[in-house]
Amino acid sequence: MTIAAPTRPRGGLTAFWAVTFGWTFAFWLLAIALGGSATSSPTAVPYLLGGFGPVIGAIVLRVRRSRRREPVPAHAVRTRLGVRLLWALPMLALASVTVLAGALLAEFLGGPVLSLTEGRDLVATVGGPVPFFVSMLIAGPLAEEPGWRGTAYPRLLASLSRLQAGLLLGAAWAVWHLPLFFIDGTLQAEFGLVSWSGLLFTLSVFPMALLTGYAYELAGVTSSIAVHLGVNMTMALLTVKSPITQVFVLAVQVIVAIALLARQRRLRPARVDLHPVVADSSLQVSPTRG
């Protein structure tokens, strides 16, 4: 008879938080101490490196799990080539539409008029459409999603509902962004921490966490990267900085996130296993024969 050794439902989360926040805050606090702009040397180096905290946390946990021969978390979604991967494109489009719809509603109700002028200038500044796309893909989606969604989210789902896991991860994500408000040259510093724009940016992280979580369960990290990219890129191209526009984008994303979560719950309820077990060959009791 083999006795199964219990494993912690959120095994590895403490290490992930420690590595992610430790890496990011170390570099971003250095950037703050150096002063200067995030777009110029020497501040640009620690600023850019700090953004990779979540993916470094994911790598550390993956290596640790491999060395310990631990099982893949029950709620982890593997990204495979094929039909599932094709969901990334419609999710990217949906993410962009949430921003566009919010901006159009704001304009219709008397807010700032939509304009691509500043967006075109931004694209030209970074060297054209291809460098713009690559920079938007790396700075944020690729640097963060393997950690937030690919590593932390499935572990949180072991003992929390989708809504609870998304909101908890959103809170961690919001705290993770805080140092950016003190680094010159970042969008967050332009907003200011104590301002309506700063508050709305922080609140916007929560529906984003729900949307990317939905995308992850649908088609893995590739899909959550697509949502993150779609929102960031559309926000940058439309230059969404007005609090009025931010409010409507936030409202649209909250409505879409709630609708998707309701649909997800109806079609595929989350499995909650509070006491997962794995066989431990070192704990064995020989059966007695009578």
Side-chain angles (χ1 to χ4, degrees), residues 15 41 84 96 119-120 137 144 156 159 168 177 215 221 240 265 279:
S41 182
R84 171 174 284 181
S96 297
R120 291 195 192 98
L137 177 63
E144 298 178 34
L156 289 172
S159 56
L168 179 57
H177 279 96
V221 172
V240 176
R265 183 178 180 181

Side-chain angles (χ1 to χ4, degrees), residues 63-149:
V63 171
R64 192 184 80 158
R65 179 168 59 79
S66 177
R67 287 179 175 176
R68 295 183 176 184
R69 297 182 180 179
E70 295 173 346
V72 175
H75 295 270
V77 178
R78 296 180 183 276
T79 298
R80 298 187 180 93
L81 295 176
V83 176
R84 171 174 284 181
L85 190 58
L86 294 178
W87 276 107
L89 292 177
M91 289 307 298
L92 185 149
L94 176 63
S96 297
V97 167
T98 63
V99 178
L100 180 60
L104 287 172
L105 279 171
E107 179 182 347
F108 178 74
L109 294 174
V113 177
L114 273 183
S115 173
L116 288 173
T117 302
E118 291 188 46
R120 291 195 192 98
D121 292 342
L122 175 62
V123 172
T125 300
V126 298
V130 173
F132 171 74
F133 176 83
V134 172
S135 64
M136 294 299 295
L137 177 63
I138 294 175
L142 280 179
E144 298 178 34
E145 288 307 316
W148 300 133
R149 253 54 64 179

